[in-house]
Amino acid sequence: VLPLTAALKRPGDLPDADFVREALRTLGLAQFRSGDLAGARRSFQALADHPGAPPGARLEAADWLERVAWQGG
C-alpha cells in the first residue's frame, strides 16, 4: 500500500491519468480488504470524483462505496 500512497502524492510522476485512476482503485481494494474502511472510502471517492474518469470507473467506485457503507465505514 505504501508505494501506491506515495505515487498518489505525486501524480505528476505517473505516466497519465489512467495510472492515477488505477492506483486509486488498487489502493481502495487493498484498504477495503485490510479493514481500512475510512481509507477505502477516501480512495473510492477520489476515483469517483476524478476528472475524466470513464463511466465504468465511476460505477465501480460507487459500487465499492456502497460496500464500504454496508460494512459500517
Side-chain angles (χ1 to χ4, degrees), residues 1-2 5 27-44 64 68-69 71-73:
V1 173
L2 291 177
T5 303
L27 179 60
L29 291 171
Q31 290 166 321
F32 182 84
R33 303 246 188 251
S34 69
D36 179 5
L37 298 179
R41 185 180 339 99
R42 284 190 303 273
S43 295
F44 289 122
W64 280 104
V68 168
Q71 291 289 324

Side-chain angles (χ1 to χ4, degrees), residues 1-56:
V1 173
L2 291 177
L4 286 175
T5 303
L8 287 168
K9 288 182 181 177
R10 298 177 55 175
D13 289 350
L14 296 172
D16 61 29
D18 290 339
F19 280 82
V20 174
R21 289 191 300 269
E22 185 59 21
L24 286 168
R25 188 184 77 79
T26 304
L27 179 60
L29 291 171
Q31 290 166 321
F32 182 84
R33 303 246 188 251
S34 69
D36 179 5
L37 298 179
R41 185 180 339 99
R42 284 190 303 273
S43 295
F44 289 122
Q45 190 62 60
L47 177 58
D49 296 340
H50 193 277

